[in-house]
Amino acid sequence: MATRCKTAILISGSGTNLQAFIDAVAAGNLDLELSVVLSNNPDAYGLVRARNAGLATACIEHGHFSSRDSFDRAVALKLNEWRPDLLILAGFMRILSAGFVDRYRGRILNIHPALLPAYPGLDTHQRVLDAGEKWHGSTVHFVTEELDGGPRILQGRLPVVAGESASQLQTRVQAIEHQIYPEAAGWVGEGRVQCRDGRTWIDGSATDDPIVQTFDLSGNRL
Ligand code: GRF
């Protein structure tokens, strides 16, 4: 049997995406070994989710470090205890230094709640509503030094509903994140999707466009 891809999940908050990974592995739909869940926030509810699932946890509080580099070195040192093949950023609210990204180049994934390259940064749901966009969604991408700018793998998109609030939109976007993030991570774990020469490679072909999946108003894949 092939060795499963050892995966670390980095969180800062509620961890609903983490829960989606836990559930997908438990259901036999995702072939990753979830080695450790690391948080920079000791109060992150995701740590409770991880413990409830019997996963190893670690907490490195960024406030205890004088610089981004020293925090990142401590995170890398801690992760080394598990030697993960893949890092999943799931609501990890720290920008990683160039040195850290380089150390794990091509092996860090993030999910960003917008159809990148549109709307990098924060407050995406409100900005999408303010702009009157018809479509919104989320993007799974490789992490590079450029914030929210690494090669894209998979996008889930859904129609914006007239008059909905930013929090309603966020809830709908998160529901599709819970489907697309484990799926894309599974592709990377099995080697179907790779990051090489700053591009995404899918089944041996380089591409600059992500795979796009469209969802209906109820969050079902069309
Ligand atoms: C997600 O919506 C993701 O797009 C963003 O952070 C949020 C994390 O939510 N990067 P959760 O902690 O997984 O519930």
Side-chain angles (χ1 to χ4, degrees):
M1 197 178 76
T3 331
R4 287 200 299 167
C5 177
K6 285 193 284 181
T7 304
I9 301 189
L10 278 60
I11 61 163
S12 298
S14 81
T16 63
N17 279 283
L18 162 66
Q19 189 67 53
F21 277 80
I22 292 171
D23 294 345
V25 169
N29 296 330
L30 178 62
D31 194 21
L32 296 178
E33 179 183 322
L34 303 184
S35 302
V36 60
V37 174
L38 183 144
S39 175
N40 64 310
N41 167 16
D43 300 321
Y45 184 66
L47 288 172
V48 176
R49 295 180 190 274
R51 287 187 204 111
N52 287 344
L55 300 179
T57 59
C59 184
I60 310 238
E61 292 186 57
H62 61 276
H64 294 175
F65 295 84
S66 58
S67 68
R68 189 181 305 284
D69 281 344
S70 57
F71 169 71
D72 284 2
R73 277 197 299 273
V75 170
L77 202 60
K78 181 50 86 176
L79 290 176
N80 252 352
E81 293 177 23
W82 290 272
R83 306 194 72 76
D85 304 303
L86 182 64
L87 306 189
I88 300 290
L89 308 187
F92 185 63
M93 299 303 286
R94 304 299 303 166
I95 295 171
L96 295 167
S97 58
F100 187 96
V101 170
D102 199 38
R103 185 179 192 130
Y104 285 100
R105 185 165 299 282
R107 298 191 290 135
I108 313 177
L109 301 185
N110 184 42
I111 190 157
H112 178 76
L115 299 174
L116 291 171
Y119 302 101
L122 298 173
D123 291 328
T124 56
H125 311 296
Q126 190 60 56
R127 286 159 61 206
V128 161
L129 290 176
D130 291 346
E133 300 284 3
K134 290 198 163 33
W135 292 93
H136 186 33
S138 199
T139 306
V140 181
H141 65 95
F142 288 105
V143 171
T144 62
E145 289 80 357
E146 190 188 344
L147 187 65
D148 301 327
R152 299 166 300 159
I153 302 168
L154 176 60
Q155 284 184 332
R157 62 173 207 151
L158 44 67
V160 175
V161 175
E164 74 181 321
S165 67
S167 88
Q168 286 170 322
L169 185 53
Q170 176 181 16
T171 300
R172 295 198 305 119
V173 167
Q174 284 200 325
I176 68 173
E177 290 185 336
H178 302 158
Q179 300 176 65
I180 65 171
Y181 204 3
E183 180 169 32
W187 296 339
V188 175
E190 67 195 21
R192 272 192 64 195
V193 170
Q194 297 174 331
C195 183
R196 280 188 275 136
D197 311 323
R199 302 178 78 187
T200 297
W201 290 69
I202 300 177
D203 292 330
S205 302
T207 175
D208 293 319
D209 298 318
I211 294 170
V212 179
Q213 297 177 348
T214 301
F215 291 77
D216 68 14
L217 290 177
S218 313
N220 299 309
R221 234 185 231 117
L222 293 177

